[in-house]
Amino acid sequence: MEKSLLFVDSLKVHYPIYSPFLRQVVDVVKAVDGVSFKVPAGKTVGLVGESGSGKTTIGRSIVKLAPLTEGRIHYRGEDIGSLSTSQFFPYRKKIQMIFQDPFNSLNPRMTVYQAVAEPLDIHFKSWNGKQKRERVAELLKRVGLEADHMERYPHEFSGGQRQRIGIARALAVEPEFIICDEPVSALDVSVQAQIVNLLQDLQDELGLTYLFIAHDLAVVEHISDEVLVMTGGKIVEQAKAEAIYENPQNDYTKKLLAAVPKF
Amino acid sequence: MSLLQVDDLKISFHSRERETVAVKGASFTVEKGRTLAVVGESGSGKSVTALSLTRLLPGPPVCRVSGKIMFDGQDVLAMEQARLRQLRGKDIAYIFQEPSSSLNPVFTVGYQIAEAVKLHFPEESDVRGRVVKALDQVGIRDPEKRYGAYPHEMSGGMQQRVMIAMALACQPKILVADEPTTALDVTIQKQIMDLLRKIRQRSSMSIILITHNFALLPDFADEVLVMFRGDIVERGETEKVLREPQHPYTKALIACIPRLGVRQKRLTTIDHATLA
């Protein structure tokens, strides 16, 4: 087997719908229905599809935020899909997530320092206050913010700056693998470009691996080495980023390509 | 005479600590049946400009608006409240970025559209029929049935169609679309832009499209204004501005959009320091 960091094998996430009276399962929503793919170390795999296609659910089930119905998830050869919550704990340090909406993903009552240092309190328990402050200052500078932004609250920042805070928080525990769930969809095109560049710089510098989830093929094609196209809980096309654009095979991929505004 | 004429529009916000000038003297016109696009990043003043057209901004001492806004020969800044209520919705209608927060979650969509129709057409006898027709126009299937649907029963794209139906039900002369597709997927974005295009063909409505994305403009907007920190830095025919942008900010704004099939090592970003 090729050396891959993450290997997802026929993953299924099904949500049962119960009838209101008899607690009987009347139907099943197949959010993810038999999906397999690999993410090689140090590379970026893009996952595209419309809302409702199941792409976010895949990201969430890797970090146990969504239940896994069937299938296996291997991380560095280890089957992490079957681990219990406490067994999974060390992997939370290695796998981090960046969310779509920087307005909702930061607690409005926590300062930037508190937000970025919170993962350190969990995974670096032995650190003292001074060490944590130094680390947070370093992280903020790394993502293009100032060290003295630490005592401010999220509402004092623009959308792009908040997304940088979210990235700093994900980087705090020195992860290997980051799941980026629509990290630029809520941002202006000009800010989107800055965040995409930042993610690429961080990858070059720290050797990170990304699963990049988005609905915009133009962004995904730019950042990814390989692209997976999803619809209705299934992967319908899987190819190198250039090939997806030059020679799309699936009708749904063609539809997604046609939806990107051209000028 | 232009349908809408804005002269030297200045908008400023005041707080105890400071004064923020959001728009520093903007002048533009909107002709009947034409589409004007206002492009700029967040904070450039494009949305407050749109809101000021029907005086939707808070009044003094918080916010001051000066200059001249003439709609169909009438001075908007001098209008009585009663006339303003007619202007809003019947003459100039809006659709906003986030359809889920523009709709009231506890009323059916039909009820909410009917509310606007009843306000502006009190003599209308078949309100329901008019609402159903509006829903049908925006491509909602089975409009009779969807009349009674609640916003949460619809997807984001469908909710935005409802907002457009609400705006169109009163047959406005100008439709202001403030980032109508920013919260939507690219596939839905295409559907909504196609719908607006179709509606414009059918009626002689003017559209003001507010966006941060230049990619939406080709074969949609006739004319474009580029706003940067409260100033209009460039204006002209859409095709011409896209082909030969003059101002460095316009160039940067066009360059930062990732293009399919063009492999770039890095995306171009806007260097605000050099633009100042």
Side-chain angles (χ1 to χ4, degrees):
Chain A
M1 196 174 78
E2 186 197 339
K3 189 91 181 110
S4 56
L5 189 72
L6 182 81
F7 174 48
V8 172
D9 185 16
S10 28
L11 175 72
K12 286 186 185 173
V13 181
H14 291 181
Y15 293 102
I17 300 173
Y18 295 97
S19 80
F21 306 111
L22 299 165
R23 296 184 141 255
Q24 274 174 336
V25 178
V26 286
D27 203 357
V28 175
V29 177
K30 296 176 177 174
V32 179
D33 199 22
V35 160
S36 306
F37 63 92
K38 285 177 193 164
V39 183
K43 299 279 184 196
T44 301
V45 172
L47 188 55
V48 262
E50 290 176 275
S51 42
S53 62
K55 56 192 196 304
T56 295
T57 308
I58 292 185
R60 295 178 74 93
S61 68
I62 294 170
V63 291
K64 285 196 186 293
L65 288 174
L68 176 152
T69 310
E70 229 181 279
R72 280 167 305 161
I73 301 171
H74 288 280
Y75 186 82
R76 288 195 185 282
E78 199 84 36
D79 185 358
I80 57 169
S82 59
L83 297 180
S84 69
T85 312
S86 57
Q87 285 170 321
F88 186 69
F89 181 74
Y91 290 95
R92 296 215 180 271
K93 183 174 169 301
K94 293 180 183 157
I95 310 174
Q96 281 288 314
M97 212 160 167
I98 300 169
F99 296 97
Q100 171 172 6
D101 190 341
F103 295 87
N104 290 330
S105 57
L106 292 170
N107 185 335
R109 301 178 63 161
M110 283 167 92
T111 63
V112 172
Y113 171 75
Q114 287 169 328
V116 179
E118 196 180 28
L120 296 174
D121 293 336
I122 296 163
H123 292 284
F124 294 86
K125 283 208 178 79
S126 60
W127 284 24
N128 62 31
K130 189 164 167 282
Q131 278 174 309
K132 281 192 283 185
R133 290 197 85 79
E134 277 170 10
R135 175 76 176 139
V136 172
E138 178 197 322
L139 286 164
L140 290 180
K141 273 187 223 148
R142 187 61 212 85
V143 297
L145 295 169
E146 308 285 330
D148 54 353
H149 284 156
M150 253 192 257
E151 299 312 324
R152 297 201 195 165
Y153 287 90
H155 74 264
E156 298 175 64
F157 295 91
S158 67
Q161 285 174 318
R162 287 186 213 202
Q163 199 55 290
R164 288 175 196 267
I165 297 168
I167 294 172
R169 185 180 150 104
L171 290 177
V173 294
E174 296 166 359
E176 304 168 325
F177 180 49
I178 300 184
I179 298 166
C180 310
D181 188 4
E182 304 254 18
V184 295
S185 312
L187 306 173
D188 269 20
V189 275
S190 52
V191 181
Q192 165 180 303
Q194 295 168 7
I195 297 294
V196 166
N197 285 345
L198 172 65
L199 288 172
Q200 286 184 314
D201 290 346
L202 291 170
Q203 179 166 48
D204 291 345
E205 221 171 287
L206 307 169
L208 297 168
T209 307
Y210 294 137
L211 179 64
F212 193 93
I213 303 170
H215 62 79
D216 186 347
L217 247 178
V219 177
V220 171
E221 195 226 22
H222 172 77
I223 197 169
S224 310
D225 299 291
E226 201 179 291
V227 177
L228 312 171
V229 182
M230 264 194 96
T231 181
K234 291 192 166 74
I235 291 178
V236 294
E237 187 156 0
Q238 181 161 7
K240 292 264 169 266
E242 309 88 67
I244 278 272
Y245 171 72
E246 278 156 18
N247 191 14
Q249 300 298 317
N250 187 278
D251 285 345
Y252 182 73
T253 313
K254 287 176 193 161
K255 189 180 145 203
L256 270 186
L257 282 167
V260 177
K262 285 169 201 71
F263 66 103
Chain B
M1 191 178 61
S2 306
L3 186 58
L4 181 77
Q5 187 163 358
V6 176
D7 270 318
D8 197 29
L9 177 73
K10 288 195 181 94
I11 303 171
S12 58
F13 291 91
H14 303 261
S15 69
R16 202 166 298 166
E17 294 88 37
R18 59 176 169 260
E19 178 190 348
T20 312
V21 183
V23 178
K24 307 168 183 165
S27 305
F28 59 90
T29 57
V30 178
E31 309 295 332
K32 190 162 180 260
R34 303 267 290 172
T35 299
L36 173 75
V38 183
V39 188
E41 287 176 279
S42 40
S44 62
K46 56 195 196 310
S47 285
V48 284
T49 302
L51 291 174
S52 73
L53 300 178
T54 55
R55 290 205 1 229
L56 285 171
L57 293 167
V62 177
C63 171
R64 283 178 220 281
V65 179
S66 69
K68 216 171 180 87
I69 302 173
M70 299 296 282
F71 174 78
D72 223 358
Q74 302 157 50
D75 188 350
V76 174
L77 294 182
M79 266 181 201
E80 302 271 327
Q81 282 299 328
R83 174 70 188 101
L84 273 177
R85 272 196 292 277
Q86 287 181 341
L87 180 80
R88 298 170 182 155
K90 196 175 178 189
D91 292 326
I92 304 179
Y94 288 85
I95 46 178
F96 296 102
Q97 175 170 351
E98 188 68 65
S100 56
S101 47
S102 308
L103 290 165
N104 189 332
V106 300
F107 293 106
T108 63
V109 297
Y111 178 89
Q112 293 182 62
I113 302 172
E115 203 178 8
V117 175
K118 281 182 205 153
L119 178 70
H120 293 298
F121 299 91
E123 71 289 350
E124 172 72 73
S125 55
D126 185 18
V127 174
R128 193 186 168 98
R130 197 170 175 141
V131 173
V132 169
K133 199 175 144 230
L135 287 171
D136 189 45
Q137 268 183 351
V138 296
I140 290 181
R141 261 177 285 165
D142 220 351
E144 282 281 353
K145 240 186 185 162
R146 300 307 272 170
Y147 184 99
Y150 286 90
H152 74 265
E153 299 174 289
M154 297 182 150
S155 66
M158 280 298 149
Q159 289 177 349
Q160 196 60 293
R161 283 174 198 261
V162 169
M163 290 304 296
I164 298 172
M166 195 183 291
L168 294 180
C170 301
Q171 294 162 333
K173 298 193 178 71
I174 300 178
L175 177 69
V176 183
D178 188 354
E179 306 259 10
T181 60
T182 306
L184 306 172
D185 270 17
V186 275
T187 39
I188 312 298
Q189 165 171 292
K190 185 165 186 294
Q191 291 172 10
I192 296 290
M193 293 308 284
D194 286 345
L195 172 66
L196 288 174
R197 221 172 257 140
K198 218 161 68 190
I199 288 164
R200 192 184 43 181
Q201 273 169 11
R202 277 202 301 250
S203 62
S204 59
M205 192 174 65
S206 310
I207 297 180
I208 302 178
L209 173 73
I210 294 173
T211 180
H212 60 83
N213 193 347
F214 257 106
L216 294 179
L217 306 195
D219 57 276
F220 189 84
D222 302 304
E223 233 189 310
V224 55
L225 298 177
V226 182
M227 285 192 82
F228 176 57
R229 293 188 194 160
D231 280 316
I232 295 177
V233 294
E234 185 158 356
R235 65 175 79 210
E237 300 276 315
T238 305
E239 298 303 315
K240 192 157 176 277
V241 172
L242 277 170
R243 210 173 34 211
E244 297 159 354
Q246 299 298 316
H247 195 273
Y249 180 70
T250 315
K251 287 180 191 165
L253 212 49
I254 294 174
C256 68
I257 303 165
R259 288 164 195 243
L260 272 173
V262 181
R263 295 301 282 184
Q264 295 163 282
K265 194 80 186 68
R266 288 173 67 83
L267 292 174
T268 317
T269 55
I270 298 178
D271 186 0
H272 283 269
T274 60
L275 285 169

